[in-house]
Structures are given as C-alpha cells and as structure tokens.
Amino acid sequence: MPLNKTTLAIVYSLVAIMFFDAMGLLIKHLSVHYTAAELSAYRNIFGLIPSGLVLWGSVAWHRKGRIWKVRQWRLALLRGAVLTIAQLSFYISLGVLSFATASTITYANALFLVALAVPLLGEKVGAMRWSAVLVGFVGVVLVVGPGRDTFSNAALMPLLAAFCYAFVGVTARMMDDDVPTPLINLYSTVIAAIGAFALVPVLGGFSPLRAPSDLIWIAGMGAFGGTAVLLMITAYRMADQSDLAPFSYFGIPIAFVLGWVFYDEAPWSELFPGALLIIFGGLIIIWRERRLRQSQTTTSSAT
C-alpha cells in the first residue's frame, strides 16, 4: 500500500534524525584532531548544497521570478550569526561529553521555543505549557548535573546550543510569509559558514589534514548533515510540525545506542530520569499546541 504524505513525512524525519546523529558521531570522532570552528566551517559548506537544491526545486520561487533578496535581511543575518554560536557550542560539547548526554541536552530547545515565543512573537502561554517548560527544565538540570562529581562547564555548552537553535527556530516565524523556507535556510547557512571561517583563525587556525581518511570523514560529516537538513525540510513541507515533533524525541534513545556501540558509553546515571522529564515536558507542550490549534480550527469553522 502506498504511504500517505504524513506517514512518509514521519519516515523522512526519522531518517533525518539518524543522519543528524551520524553527523554527530563523526564530529565527535574528528574533534580529537580538529577544532569545533573548523568542523562547523566544513559542515556549513556542505550545508549550502541541500538548501540550494530545495530552493531551486521550489516551483513557487521560480514562479515569483527567483528572487534572492529578503526584505528582513538584518534578521536573516542575525539568525545566521546565532546559528554559528549554536553549532560551535554543540560541536565543542560533542568533543568533551558523552555523545548521548550532549545530544539529550540540546532537546531543551523545545522548551526554549515556548519561552522565547512570549517576548519575540507576543504569544500568550498558559499555565499548562509553563508547567511543561518547568518539568522539562528540571530534566535538563538533572542531565547537566550541577553539584555532581562529574559536572563540568562543558555541560552548559549544549544548553547554550539549545537556546540558540530555539532562537533560530522562533525567528524563522518572524520572516515574511512569502519568503521560501529554503531561502531562509540558505541565508542562515551562508552567514553561519562565514562566521565559522572567521572564528577559525581566532581559535587556532586550520589544522593540516592528519590523514587522507580524515577527508572521507569530513565529507561524510557534511553529507550526513546536508542530507538530514534536506530530508527534514522536505518532511516539514509535507506535514504539520505538530505531527512530526513527537517523533523527534526518538533521537534520544538513538543517540544513546550509537554512543554505546561506537564509543562504549552508557551514561545511565547522567541521562535518567532527566531525559524522561525532558521528553515528558516536550510532549505536553506539543499536545497542548495541537489542542489549541484544533480549538481554533473548530471556532473558525463554526463562524
């Protein structure tokens, strides 16, 4: 039987999550010999490819005359600069934390999305969603582990990344509706690439290629990340975000398994029960947003 669009979008998003985790594994592998800024620069160069492909394949963009200019270009530049910080923070954390721990903490971006929507979008957030945010942040605190013997300041880096990724996500909704999503992503990726290349000399410069095989790993990192972005963009164009968001949390157990298989990491005490609270808080937010959307749709139909 053929898959419907929503089911196919879910499949695309799950494959994208696996590719993102594969990219993270390669970043962790390469971070022993290359700085986070170098890896971010390489990653963004490859990231231009999927954004460009999706934009070029956009029928609406061609019909409107293939316009590259964005009215809110200052906001687009700001999003790219913040994305540079997000990538740098996350890549640094992958080099010093267990893979699953760094990945899990970044899932706090769903909680930051709610918090940032209030000042930036003027949204009204009720007691239930604020309670969900609180539950999720308790989970984040447990995973970060302040006061634990194994705590390090590096655990704050993926939290900073989560905040920056959430800012990038919220501000995307502030862009004009007629601006194609891939064009917005292209702006962000170009600025993030420029930012990463600018940071490399400050943080030690480009390292010589340690071995020819590293070129394969770098290309694989970019290919996995670029393909993941392409699949995720495609998925979110095919289905509502509320239909796909719950499946994003599959990334936590996938990251745990991959970290265990490839790096012999099993940070049970670090992840649980905090990871469960992050998932629980995020799912409550998603459920509440779906209820509000359904209520608004019903009200509009009735009128």
Side-chain angles (χ1 to χ4, degrees), residues 79 81-94 97 101-110 112-113 116 140 144 153-169:
R79 293 179 71 253
V82 175
L83 181 60
T84 303
I85 299 172
Q87 291 178 339
L88 187 68
S89 303
F90 183 46
Y91 294 0
I92 289 174
S93 70
L94 285 172
L97 299 176
T101 300
S103 299
T104 298
I105 295 174
T106 59
Y107 279 89
N109 71 325
F112 285 124
L113 280 170
L116 288 173
V140 171
V144 172
N153 291 330
L156 299 177
M157 298 303 289
L159 191 61
L160 173 60
F163 176 84
C164 292
Y165 281 131
F167 179 87
V168 172

Side-chain angles (χ1 to χ4, degrees), residues 5 8-9 12-13 50 54 185 227-239 244:
K5 289 183 65 175
L8 188 59
Y12 283 164
S13 66
V54 174
N185 290 333
T227 305
V229 170
L230 180 61
L231 288 171
M232 194 62 77
I233 291 173
T234 303
Y236 277 97
R237 289 171 65 90
M238 293 173 63
L244 298 178

Side-chain angles (χ1 to χ4, degrees), residues 246-298:
F247 294 93
S248 66
Y249 287 102
F250 277 95
I252 293 178
I254 291 174
F256 184 90
V257 171
L258 291 176
W260 174 57
V261 170
F262 289 97
Y263 293 103
D264 197 26
E265 300 171 345
W268 289 100
S269 60
E270 295 178 12
L271 291 181
F272 299 98
L276 298 179
L277 291 177
I278 293 173
I279 295 173
F280 182 64
L283 291 179
I284 290 177
I285 292 170
I286 294 165
W287 172 80
R288 183 58 178 166
E289 288 179 346
R290 292 193 67 177
R291 289 290 299 272
L292 290 174
R293 188 175 294 110
Q294 291 171 357
S295 176
Q296 292 170 355
T297 302
T298 302

Side-chain angles (χ1 to χ4, degrees), residues 131-147:
S131 299
V133 170
L134 180 61
V135 169
F137 271 115
V138 170
V140 171
V141 170
L142 291 176
V143 175
V144 172

Side-chain angles (χ1 to χ4, degrees), residues 16 56 86 118 154 224:
W56 191 257
V118 175
F224 278 128

Side-chain angles (χ1 to χ4, degrees), residues 193-217:
I194 294 173
F197 273 100
L199 285 173
V200 170
V202 178
L203 299 177
F206 280 98
S207 306
L209 197 65
R210 186 182 61 90
S213 59
D214 283 359
L215 187 59
I216 299 175
W217 297 128

